Amino acid sequence: MDKLITGIKNLDYILGGGIPAYSLNIVSGSPGSGKTILVQNIIFNNARAGRKSLYLTTISESQFKMVRHLQGFEFFSDDLLGEKVIYGDLGAVLREQGADKALGYLTEMIKKHLPNIVVIDSFKAIRDIFPDEKTFKAFVFDLAAALSIWEITVFLVGEYEEKELTLLSEFAIADGIFHLYGQEEKRFQKRFIRILKMRGTSFQQGEHLFQISPVGIEVFPRMRPEGEELQYGFKPGRKGFGIPSLDEMLYGGLTEGTITLVSGATGTGKTILALKFLLEGAEKGENGIFLSFEEPEAQLQNTARRLGWEIDKYLAQGRLSIEFISPIELDVDKHAFEILDLIREKKVERFVIDSISSFENSVSDPQKYRDYLWALGQQLKRRHISSIFTALNDDPFSPLIVSREQISLLADNIIILRYVEDGSSIKKVLGILKTRGSDHDKALREYEITPNGINILDKLNKADMLR
């Protein structure tokens, strides 16, 4: 099947390679949802590939006003106007001469320009010209018949509510339906696209985040853990922390390609332990990314320098990258996808998120938080990336609680850090709760953070210290 490549970031991926050629598609959504920009982005991308588009406006927005608004986007080019992107006014013909003349005008324009793509924007506005549903329905079917004669791909753009998509007659003739909408999620006003129908081809269902930037439309596909994403093997090697006593407790280190949850109260050293894991990898020539939602890069560098770690050398070599995202700006739908892009780009073998508690705080729906984290975890495993997720335990003296949302279920390995009371002193204790597919030291051991790093001490010598 021939397909029309949209050229929009990740949209062709969602569409399984593009939109079936010569199909009739409806792009629906409320005013301001991005319908016109989406279609304009597609036709200008295709114009650069040599394909011609005929864009017919109706009564909602003049073509001159539309072009003026497009001039701020990178995809727009004056050089393509009139040659590869041709605008016409179908609305005036409809209003002044009627539906029959409008179909004739459309046919003449197609014969004259021989476009590969035809757009009618707004198709919904045409409805108001007709006296009743019956005559409009007849026009819709006549239009579909007229367009089917030509080998062109059609986009009908309209301000439709989602509840109308199954009721109105124009949707009966559509081969494909794109629905764009926005919703407020916590502090973000987000835009989503859903493909409701794409006749004759497979596509990724569900809502996909998109943004409108100076580049144009950028789509961030829904994290998809099902299907082939779960098909991955295990590597037999191990990756250590470079802390001899801890690596001994893990019988040589963490199994490659697994996810480790490091859970602990504030100040127990989760960040330092995770950073040491990446620095040990850098020492062995492995690339790592530290994704921080809590401490900016300069603060992490200072911490590492105080501990005598050669963080500057590895940052300069590109063995270690620190990416700081403020929790205030964190948009899980977007950043989860960007994280995977970054991992691919830098050929990462070790990866840290510090902390997933900030992930949780940025997502209003707990189920969505769990789904995203689980999907991200599965994709990291599929790429055999050894990963550490740190999690904040709100109660510094709690029993061996790992996390509030049972995220421990996605972890292959769990390391807990907690405080214990010893007389009038507070000590730190480390324990390994599980290492999937491997044995490990079952003891709880005291540890201390010294100017030289993390020092694992003896076993906990008093059972009643855990309260």
Side-chain angles (χ1 to χ4, degrees):
M1 175 186 290
D2 293 335
K3 292 196 173 182
L4 180 83
I5 305 300
T6 70
I8 291 177
K9 181 179 179 180
N10 296 318
L11 183 55
D12 294 309
Y13 167 72
I14 293 172
L15 289 165
I19 299 170
Y22 319 134
S23 58
L24 190 150
N25 305 277
I26 295 180
V27 181
S28 69
S30 58
S33 58
K35 305 179 298 300
T36 297
I37 295 174
L38 174 73
V39 177
Q40 294 278 3
N41 203 158
I42 291 172
I43 66 173
F44 273 93
N45 288 349
N46 275 275
R48 287 189 172 81
R51 284 179 281 276
K52 186 184 292 186
S53 295
L54 174 61
Y55 200 106
L56 299 173
T57 56
T58 57
I59 58 175
S60 64
E61 190 171 22
S62 76
Q63 54 191 281
F64 304 105
K65 186 177 177 183
M66 185 181 299
V67 170
R68 189 164 62 246
H69 289 164
L70 293 174
Q71 289 175 338
F73 292 103
E74 291 181 15
F75 65 76
F76 179 81
S77 173
D78 280 328
D79 297 339
L80 298 171
L81 294 178
E83 181 66 27
K84 293 297 181 185
V85 179
I86 300 151
Y87 289 97
D89 186 359
L90 183 64
V93 180
L94 270 166
R95 289 190 301 275
E96 296 167 10
Q97 303 178 44
D100 291 341
K101 295 295 182 183
L103 288 175
Y105 171 79
L106 175 62
T107 303
E108 288 175 12
M109 291 289 279
I110 292 173
K111 284 181 179 177
K112 179 180 177 182
H113 298 289
L114 298 177
N116 305 99
I117 301 170
V118 167
V119 181
I120 300 178
D121 183 8
S122 153
F123 196 72
K124 178 72 176 296
I126 294 177
R127 274 186 156 273
D128 298 334
I129 297 172
F130 289 82
D132 53 53
E133 180 68 22
K134 184 178 178 180
T135 50
F136 177 71
K137 189 173 182 180
F139 169 77
V140 167
F141 283 99
D142 287 345
L143 175 69
L147 291 170
S148 65
I149 297 172
W150 307 91
E151 290 190 340
I152 52 178
T153 305
V154 179
F155 294 94
L156 306 180
V157 182
E159 298 77 21
Y160 298 98
E161 298 293 334
E162 187 165 3
K163 60 186 178 185
E164 297 176 309
L165 305 186
T166 56
L167 301 175
L168 302 182
S169 52
E170 51 266 48
F171 290 91
I173 63 170
D175 299 304
I177 300 174
F178 298 81
H179 186 57
L180 280 58
Y181 56 98
Q183 64 185 44
E184 195 161 321
E185 190 172 289
K186 282 211 165 178
R187 46 192 170 270
F188 297 104
Q189 183 62 42
K190 305 171 84 167
R191 298 173 190 268
F192 293 96
I193 181 171
R194 279 198 293 145
I195 303 164
L196 303 181
K197 178 181 180 183
M198 193 55 62
R199 192 173 285 159
T201 186
S202 61
F203 58 90
Q204 289 192 25
Q205 298 182 351
E207 63 179 20
H208 308 280
L209 179 77
F210 76 94
Q211 68 177 19
I212 301 173
S213 71
V215 174
I217 300 285
E218 296 177 282
V219 179
F220 301 91
R222 178 175 66 87
M223 294 288 285
R224 195 164 64 99
E226 68 269 24
E228 70 275 11
E229 301 294 347
L230 292 175
Q231 297 175 15
Y232 51 81
F234 290 94
K235 281 190 170 183
R238 290 180 179 271
K239 293 190 183 298
F241 285 83
I243 303 172
S245 300
L246 177 56
D247 291 336
E248 285 176 15
M249 292 176 71
L250 292 163
Y251 289 9
L254 302 169
T255 305
E256 283 193 35
T258 56
I259 292 176
T260 302
L261 187 66
V262 177
S263 174
T266 181
T268 50
K270 301 182 297 300
T271 299
I272 291 175
L273 188 63
L275 185 58
K276 183 68 175 72
F277 179 71
L278 295 189
L279 290 168
E280 173 67 6
E283 175 67 24
K284 296 182 180 305
E286 301 166 359
N287 293 345
I289 291 179
F290 192 102
L291 183 65
S292 173
F293 297 122
E294 298 184 352
E295 297 184 41
E297 180 175 353
Q299 191 169 329
L300 289 167
Q301 285 179 269
N302 287 334
T303 300
R305 287 172 193 144
R306 285 201 303 271
L307 295 170
W309 296 342
E310 297 181 294
I311 190 169
D312 297 305
K313 180 177 80 174
Y314 298 126
L315 286 170
Q317 291 175 348
R319 292 289 180 202
L320 175 66
S321 299
I322 298 174
E323 304 292 332
F324 172 70
I325 301 172
S326 166
I328 296 173
E329 300 299 325
L330 176 62
D331 182 344
V332 169
D333 293 285
K334 176 183 173 185
H335 286 111
F337 191 81
E338 290 180 338
I339 288 166
L340 294 175
D341 264 355
L342 200 59
I343 285 171
R344 276 191 292 268
E345 176 190 328
K346 294 184 176 292
K347 298 179 179 176
V348 164
E349 294 181 62
R350 299 189 185 210
F351 176 68
V352 166
I353 295 180
D354 183 37
S355 70
I356 60 171
S357 305
S358 296
F359 250 112
E360 180 181 359
N361 293 334
S362 69
V363 181
S364 56
D365 181 354
Q367 184 61 48
K368 187 173 185 179
Y369 160 71
R370 288 192 293 272
D371 289 348
Y372 265 88
L373 208 55
W374 192 78
L376 177 62
Q378 296 305 318
Q379 299 213 31
L380 290 168
K381 286 184 182 183
R382 191 168 71 87
R383 292 165 173 79
H384 303 294
I385 296 166
S386 302
S387 307
I388 289 180
F389 296 172
T390 69
L392 177 67
N393 186 339
D394 293 329
D395 185 348
F397 296 96
S398 72
L400 302 181
I401 295 172
V402 177
S403 66
R404 284 177 293 175
E405 289 290 346
Q406 296 301 310
I407 295 303
S408 54
L409 294 175
L410 70 82
D412 300 294
N413 321 299
I414 298 176
I415 299 174
I416 56 148
L417 308 175
R418 60 157 293 179
Y419 295 107
V420 296
E421 295 178 30
D422 183 15
S424 60
S425 301
I426 295 175
K427 295 185 176 180
K428 296 186 179 78
V429 168
L430 178 150
I432 301 169
L433 287 192
K434 76 170 183 180
T435 52
R436 186 166 290 162
S438 172
D439 202 359
H440 60 85
D441 189 333
K442 309 297 191 301
L444 289 169
R445 294 181 181 274
E446 293 180 43
Y447 70 96
E448 58 185 5
I449 301 173
T450 74
N452 298 316
I454 296 175
N455 187 23
I456 308 294
L457 304 173
D458 295 331
K459 293 181 182 179
L460 191 67
N461 56 12
K462 297 179 182 176
D464 61 355
M465 290 167 70
L466 284 177
R467 307 184 213 184

